[in-house]
Amino acid sequence: MNNDLSLHAQFAKVWDNLPGWGQLAAVNHTSISRRFMLTGTVFFIIGGVLAMLIRSQLALPEQELISPALYAQLFTMHGTVMMFLFAIPILEGAAMYLIPKMIGTRDLVFPRLSALGYYCYLFGGIIIMTSLFLGIAPDSGWFMYTPLSSAEFSAGPGSDFWLLGITFVEISAVSAGVELTVSILRTRAPGMSLSKMPIFCWYILAMALMIVFGFPPLILASILLELERAAGMPFFDPAAGGDPILWQHLFWLFGHPEVYIIFLPAAGIVSTIIPVFAGRPLVGYRWIVLAIITMGFVSFGLWVHHMFTVGIPQLAQAFFSIASMLVAIPTAIQVFAWIATLWTGRVRFELPMLWMFGFLFIFVCGGLTGVMLALVPFDWQVHDTHFVVAHFHYVLIGGMLFPLIGGLYYWLPHLSGRMPTMHMGKWAFWLIFIGFNATFLMMHLTGLLGMPRRVVTYEAGLGWDWLNMLSTFGSFIMASGFGMLMLDVILHFRYGQKARFNPWQADTLEWATGTPPTSYNFLSLPTVKTRHPLWDKPDLRSTISDGAHGLKRIGHGRRELYGTDAVTGKLIEVIHIPTHSWLPLVTALFLAALCISLLSRAYLVALAITVIAAICVFRWAWVNGAHKEMAPLTADEEQRDEPKLHSRTMNGPGLWGMVVTLLSDGSLYLSLLFGWLYLWTVAPGGKVPDVSAVSITAMTISGVTLTVAVLLYHRVIKMLRSGAASKLPAQFAGVFVFGALHLATLIYVTITSKLAVTDNAHDAALFVMLMFLLFHSSIAVVASGLQIFRAKKGYISQALPYEPAVLHPFWLFTLGIFWVSFACFLIMPLVW
Amino acid sequence: MNPGRLHPIHYVAGWIIWAIWFVAAYGGLAVACKIEPPAPEQGIFNWLNLSFFVITMVVFVLLCLYAVDKRKLLKEAPPQTKFALQIATAVYAFSAFGTLMVGLALVMVTPCL
């Protein structure tokens, strides 16, 4: 027993956060995810208060409680806060908390990235909220349509706050997407093949990949609009070859998948909770996996249904109308699977189940009005009315918030070690359920009666008066329900009954970590042979805690996880992850300073801060791999009874992280390519010049030197793979020299090009393309330069081949985008 | 057995093919309408709808063939690959259905209006 205690104490010493202010350097997933969820809750309260102000203004006709200018800021900020600062981050936080525990590991695979993501979210959110308190908040609606959000019609800094702040927050979302994807694919417990993975993990995998692909179009759109506002590049100005509809395409390319990014994790909560309370496995696991994959893809093919009224061709309307109906099929599969699970199980009506039933009722209603809106003639009638507002609140509150609260009650004993109270919980549910329906069911009617959304007031006698009054009354009932819910949760920390082990008799591994969990989740890592480990082996918790499973040695002082095969779950390596670090906080602080300097148009300051932030990032990269602070080579490591450390292989998580990041990067690049092709072929004044403003000869030289650099790098990788690597510093120096030549030529091309970036959108798009290439080439060259020194210091060698394998795809990507850009942006217009 | 037939890409390959068809169809129709729009009086019987129909059917048949291939493999594949093959079969079949559903609806519409 004493030995066991001492082992737990040793694990705690390695895994616990620093005390006091040192908590700010925490990278542990349990701490970071709790911060995500707490911060998300604060933003939810703020967003809720804004909603109450809106409803108060609309309670009676011709009211003047709020000025039109402030009202515009309120509805813009309500949407922005709820979508970007509450829904996505809180679900990511929940996923970050649960995923490692469910897949039987100790942490997420890139903990410092988790911490950076959190601080970017926090600082980005604070920056955006500051605008509201200063009275200069964005006021063009949460989807920021141009030209309303452009400099001409939104001259103040409101739009800039939105564009820069949201981009900052999106760094957080994409980093969480990368992190969750790689963690789910590479760190599951040994034996946990994809077919044995908890269904929640499938949902989160799909959500994470959708973030990876779905957020970059909006990041690009935000960059383009900010460049238009700050530097006069006319991407959305038809007079100069731009097109405001391009913004709508890019926004909804993100915006529609966003709805599913929010819905999928919530559906994952439902698919986790219903089987537990039905006391049987989920009906149709395979069908649900199929539905998740289908939704992940089809939801990207619906974005134009938000644009049915902008004047797009009839054929495109038919195209997206049918695709919009198609997505109802996988949704229906899930609903039927949930009903079948309830039907065939022995249902226990505990508190979380109330929220599940609320979800089923409200979400099905919202789904049905969604199918109505997919019908083009109906959409034309109700577009931009309160009917649409009612529809998406049914989908988002029913489809996301109800499951989230159900999940909160379900995992509350896990978070706090105490049970929620049934009595107050029921009151909270019924107040919210009744209040919600009173608020939004009425809005369907006001919408059908013609009330437009976003109007500050309305005339009396249009038939909207009593409906609006009832909506406002309902919203106050709902708000009191949320107050009750929060009180219940706060009180339970003190007065809730102590939770016993696995209080709901769940099947998934997170309940084997203890309630509340330790910082390392599992003292030993089990092998998982079934989809329901705790149902099949109820003693798993004690055997894990007794150290009866793998990776139980901690004397080395490293934080270690198992690395397994993405498909089969076969054990292949031990992954060592970083401990607490100040670098994420410091980097995020500099990025926040960058954001503020851009907002204040202090561009030289911004440039200096960018350099400092880049130094932080490269320092972060430096203390990795075999660095003495991480996992230096030791003489006895071959004698360990565990697989090799990942930094001694060429297939570690960093490689996977790089590839997933490049998928996101590729999505951004394809969005740019789409934007440029759109401006060329569809924009009313779109045209390309007869002569290229960029030197084709110099670009060719730049491309050839880049190709040589990549070939040299490829040779290094081949040598490392064959075990015949030698003189690595010299090899990297060769790559660096050719890479630097390429970069110098590219800089020369950019400086000497005769692009009229403020006169026409085409040249502005070419400029952005050149910046994109410069950004990637600079990183590749600097990283390879650092590798010269790392090879000299012995951090890269035949025994340590990991880092070149990680950078290799980046070089290939840089080469790929260069030649695609050369062909599409420069050659194609000349030969068309 | 060719290991490529059991590659995990088949979990999603059906929808990737569908997505490529979707982008090509949407973008291609827009470009075709810009360059050589069929006369409106031709109604739905014109070169553009015919080309679109042929391409749709080719993609549909390709996806169906993949679905049949995965279904056949189920009988001979080792047990640990059965889950992946079942999902792949269904994904190919669903994406074939999705292609047909969107594609056939479109050839019933007069283009470029």
Side-chain angles (χ1 to χ4, degrees):
Chain A
M1 190 67 185
N2 281 340
N3 281 342
D4 286 348
L5 276 177
S6 113
L7 197 54
H8 278 285
Q10 286 176 51
F11 265 83
K13 194 176 167 197
V14 172
W15 283 86
D16 280 0
N17 299 335
L18 294 172
W21 286 101
Q23 289 284 343
L24 295 175
V27 296
N28 182 287
H29 82 105
T30 302
S31 305
I32 298 296
S33 58
R34 281 177 177 164
R35 289 173 197 180
F36 260 105
M37 291 188 279
L38 191 63
T39 311
T41 306
V42 172
F43 282 122
F44 174 72
I45 295 168
I46 294 172
V49 170
L50 299 180
M52 298 314 294
L53 290 172
I54 293 169
R55 278 308 333 156
S56 301
Q57 166 65 17
L58 293 178
L60 293 168
E62 294 160 35
Q63 278 215 102
E64 292 178 359
L65 273 178
I66 296 169
S67 69
L70 179 60
Y71 186 82
Q73 292 185 20
L74 292 182
F75 70 68
T76 301
M77 289 301 286
H78 168 69
T80 302
V81 168
M82 288 303 197
M83 295 300 274
F84 294 102
L85 302 181
F86 162 64
I88 296 279
I90 203 163
L91 288 167
E92 281 178 344
M96 290 165 87
Y97 180 83
L98 290 168
I99 287 294
K101 297 172 173 70
M102 278 191 171
I103 60 176
T105 191
R106 290 176 181 145
D107 205 338
L108 289 165
V109 76
F110 305 124
R112 290 183 300 193
L113 195 60
S114 312
L116 176 74
Y118 172 70
Y119 287 122
C120 285
Y121 161 51
L122 177 68
F123 297 151
I126 291 172
I127 287 170
I128 296 168
M129 292 314 302
T130 307
S131 69
L132 186 64
F133 294 112
L134 294 175
I136 48 172
D139 54 4
S140 316
W142 81 273
F143 33 78
M144 294 288 287
Y145 274 1
T146 51
L148 187 58
S149 57
S150 299
E152 189 180 355
F153 299 104
S154 292
S159 295
D160 302 316
F161 270 98
W162 193 97
L163 296 166
L164 293 166
I166 291 299
T167 302
F168 200 22
V169 171
E170 282 174 347
I171 296 172
S172 159
V174 174
S175 62
V178 172
E179 167 115 275
L180 287 165
T181 303
V182 181
S183 296
I184 292 171
L185 289 178
R186 287 303 318 278
T187 62
R188 299 193 306 271
M192 188 187 276
S193 62
L194 285 179
S195 62
K196 296 190 188 96
M197 195 161 77
I199 196 71
F200 183 77
C201 302
W202 275 103
Y203 281 101
I204 297 303
L205 181 60
M207 174 202 81
L209 283 167
M210 287 178 74
I211 288 174
V212 163
F213 285 104
F215 274 54
L218 181 61
I219 294 176
L220 175 78
S222 301
I223 292 170
L224 297 186
L225 183 52
E226 186 55 31
L227 282 172
E228 181 178 283
R229 290 176 55 84
M233 296 187 190
F235 297 104
F236 307 106
D237 178 6
D243 191 346
I245 303 299
L246 174 62
W247 170 271
Q248 297 194 20
H249 278 292
L250 291 173
F251 183 87
W252 289 115
L253 259 170
F254 145 83
H256 197 78
E258 153 103 337
V259 174
Y260 292 87
I261 289 169
I262 291 171
F263 169 67
L264 281 173
I269 293 172
V270 176
S271 290
T272 303
I273 291 179
I274 284 182
V276 170
F277 290 102
R280 56 148 300 146
L282 183 66
V283 170
Y285 177 92
R286 287 178 183 80
W287 282 98
I288 291 200
V289 172
L290 172 69
I292 295 166
I293 294 172
T294 301
M295 283 180 117
F297 277 88
V298 176
S299 64
F300 277 91
L302 319 178
W303 81 94
V304 173
H305 78 206
H306 294 271
M307 300 161 60
F308 279 156
T309 57
V310 300
I312 53 173
Q314 188 189 51
L315 193 133
Q317 290 175 12
F319 195 85
F320 285 95
S321 176
I322 300 288
S324 303
M325 290 178 205
L326 198 63
V327 82
I329 297 172
T331 313
I333 288 175
Q334 292 171 85
V335 172
F336 286 125
W338 294 326
I339 292 171
T341 308
L342 291 170
W343 196 283
T344 53
R346 293 166 66 91
V347 181
R348 283 179 289 143
F349 286 95
E350 303 274 5
L351 198 48
M353 281 305 284
L354 265 183
W355 296 93
M356 296 301 107
F357 284 111
F359 154 79
L360 280 170
F361 176 79
I362 293 172
F363 180 70
V364 169
C365 292
L368 291 174
T369 52
V371 176
M372 289 164 75
L373 286 167
L375 296 163
V376 179
F378 183 79
D379 183 80
W380 285 348
Q381 296 302 313
V382 297
H383 184 81
D384 263 350
T385 70
H386 272 214
F387 187 92
V388 175
V389 179
H391 155 71
F392 69 70
H393 279 88
Y394 262 72
V395 170
L396 292 174
I397 294 185
M400 177 265 177
L401 195 58
F402 272 62
L404 186 70
I405 298 172
L408 171 70
Y409 274 121
Y410 176 72
W411 281 295
L412 209 48
H414 194 278
L415 273 162
S416 66
R418 290 178 183 272
M419 300 298 288
T421 49
M422 193 73 178
H423 192 66
M424 276 182 82
K426 273 186 176 173
W427 267 97
F429 170 79
W430 286 112
L431 284 172
I432 293 173
F433 184 81
I434 293 167
F436 169 82
N437 283 292
T439 308
F440 293 104
L441 194 64
M442 299 306 115
M443 274 194 205
H444 288 102
L445 300 175
T446 43
L448 287 172
L449 290 172
M451 181 170 174
R453 66 195 288 197
R454 295 175 175 173
V455 288
V456 63
T457 189
Y458 50 92
E459 283 179 43
L462 293 171
W464 308 342
D465 307 16
W466 70 275
L467 291 167
N468 272 299
M469 174 51 88
L470 199 54
S471 272
T472 301
F473 183 64
S475 70
F476 276 90
I477 295 176
M478 184 163 53
S480 64
F482 282 117
M484 180 78 81
L485 174 78
M486 282 174 197
L487 192 65
D488 185 24
V489 173
I490 292 166
L491 289 179
H492 110 284
F493 278 99
R494 184 166 172 83
Y495 299 110
Q497 277 187 342
K498 290 265 185 196
R500 62 180 194 281
F501 164 65
N502 195 4
W504 310 117
Q505 290 101 54
D507 58 334
T508 39
L509 274 178
E510 77 274 21
W511 294 100
T513 60
T515 47
T518 55
S519 55
Y520 44 91
N521 292 340
F522 306 97
L523 187 130
S524 58
L525 301 182
T527 298
V528 173
K529 292 181 178 160
T530 77
R531 211 177 275 162
H532 314 287
L534 284 195
W535 281 349
D536 298 331
K537 279 191 175 176
D539 65 336
L540 205 50
R541 185 201 173 193
S542 51
T543 58
I544 288 170
S545 186
D546 292 345
H549 306 277
L551 212 56
K552 61 190 175 220
R553 295 190 209 295
I554 193 70
H556 45 66
R558 284 189 299 270
R559 298 185 178 188
E560 289 186 343
L561 326 169
Y562 272 146
T564 48
D565 181 83
V567 177
T568 62
K570 188 180 161 200
L571 179 60
I572 49 179
E573 64 198 3
V574 170
I575 295 171
H576 52 87
I577 58 171
T579 182
H580 36 73
S581 164
W582 292 95
L583 278 167
L585 174 60
V586 173
T587 308
L589 276 171
F590 282 116
L591 289 175
L594 172 64
C595 193
I596 293 166
S597 56
L598 288 173
L599 272 171
S600 25
R601 310 257 161 118
Y603 296 119
L604 281 177
V605 178
L607 189 65
I609 294 172
T610 306
V611 172
I612 298 170
I615 291 168
C616 288
V617 172
F618 281 109
R619 171 65 192 167
W620 178 330
W622 185 261
V623 285
N624 252 334
H627 188 274
K628 62 179 186 306
E629 290 179 25
M630 191 65 70
L633 271 177
T634 54
D636 61 343
E637 61 181 62
E638 290 299 324
Q639 285 131 38
R640 268 166 55 116
D641 55 353
E642 297 284 1
K644 274 187 174 182
L645 293 177
H646 80 267
S647 55
R648 282 62 166 158
T649 74
M650 294 185 82
N651 188 26
L655 174 64
W656 287 68
M658 175 61 81
V659 171
V660 178
T661 306
L662 290 177
L663 290 177
S664 196
D665 208 358
S667 172
L668 190 101
Y669 180 74
L670 286 176
S671 303
L672 176 62
L673 193 58
F674 163 78
W676 182 75
L677 286 170
Y678 184 90
L679 290 177
W680 178 17
T681 59
V682 182
K687 61 178 191 304
V688 290
D690 298 329
V691 183
S692 175
V694 176
S695 165
I696 302 291
T697 314
M699 275 299 274
T700 310
I701 294 169
S702 182
V704 169
T705 46
L706 172 64
T707 309
V708 174
V710 174
L711 286 173
L712 289 174
Y713 204 84
H714 192 68
R715 199 175 67 139
V716 176
I717 297 295
K718 275 179 79 176
M719 286 163 60
L720 285 167
R721 280 196 202 289
S722 63
S726 63
K727 297 180 185 163
L728 281 175
Q731 309 269 5
F732 288 126
V735 174
F736 178 76
V737 168
F738 277 95
L741 275 174
H742 149 72
L743 184 59
T745 323
L746 195 57
I747 292 170
Y748 168 78
V749 167
T750 308
I751 292 170
T752 57
S753 66
K754 296 179 179 64
L755 294 171
V757 294
T758 54
D759 293 344
N760 71 74
H762 168 268
D763 280 13
L766 273 188
F767 177 77
V768 174
M769 178 274 287
L770 286 171
M771 287 298 114
F772 193 80
L773 296 184
L774 274 172
F775 177 75
H776 286 80
S777 297
S778 306
I779 292 176
V781 170
V782 174
S784 289
L786 286 176
Q787 287 189 331
I788 301 171
F789 295 102
R790 290 184 74 79
K792 277 186 179 169
K793 283 194 163 283
Y795 299 154
I796 299 174
S797 64
Q798 186 60 62
L800 296 163
Y802 175 64
E803 291 170 27
V806 174
L807 194 61
H808 188 215
F810 191 84
W811 271 110
L812 293 176
F813 182 82
T814 305
L815 182 69
I817 56 170
F818 183 92
W819 286 117
V820 171
S821 302
F822 184 78
C824 293
F825 284 82
L826 300 180
I827 302 299
M828 206 161 71
L830 298 180
V831 299
W832 190 254
Chain B
M1 187 190 301
N2 177 1
R5 291 170 75 195
L6 292 172
H7 193 278
I9 191 69
H10 293 292
Y11 272 108
V12 291
W15 286 116
I16 292 175
I17 294 170
W18 176 84
I20 293 167
W21 167 83
F22 193 89
V23 171
Y26 182 51
L29 286 168
V31 172
C33 286
K34 187 115 180 170
I35 296 170
E36 191 77 44
E41 55 270 21
Q42 284 182 298
I44 62 168
F45 299 103
N46 55 66
W47 73 270
L48 187 54
N49 277 19
L50 180 68
S51 318
F52 185 67
F53 177 74
V54 171
I55 293 166
T56 298
M57 292 316 290
V58 168
V59 174
F60 172 71
V61 171
L62 176 77
L63 290 167
C64 287
L65 288 174
Y66 269 119
V68 171
D69 178 58
K70 299 302 150 209
R71 178 87 190 141
K72 275 187 189 161
L73 269 182
L74 263 172
K75 291 171 190 156
E76 48 188 287
Q80 65 270 25
T81 60
K82 286 217 184 306
F83 175 78
L85 285 170
Q86 283 166 337
I87 298 290
T89 306
V91 164
Y92 280 119
F94 260 58
S95 48
F97 172 72
T99 307
L100 202 63
M101 194 169 155
V102 179
L104 288 188
L106 284 198
V107 295
M108 312 270 182
V109 178
T110 308
C112 308
L113 293 178

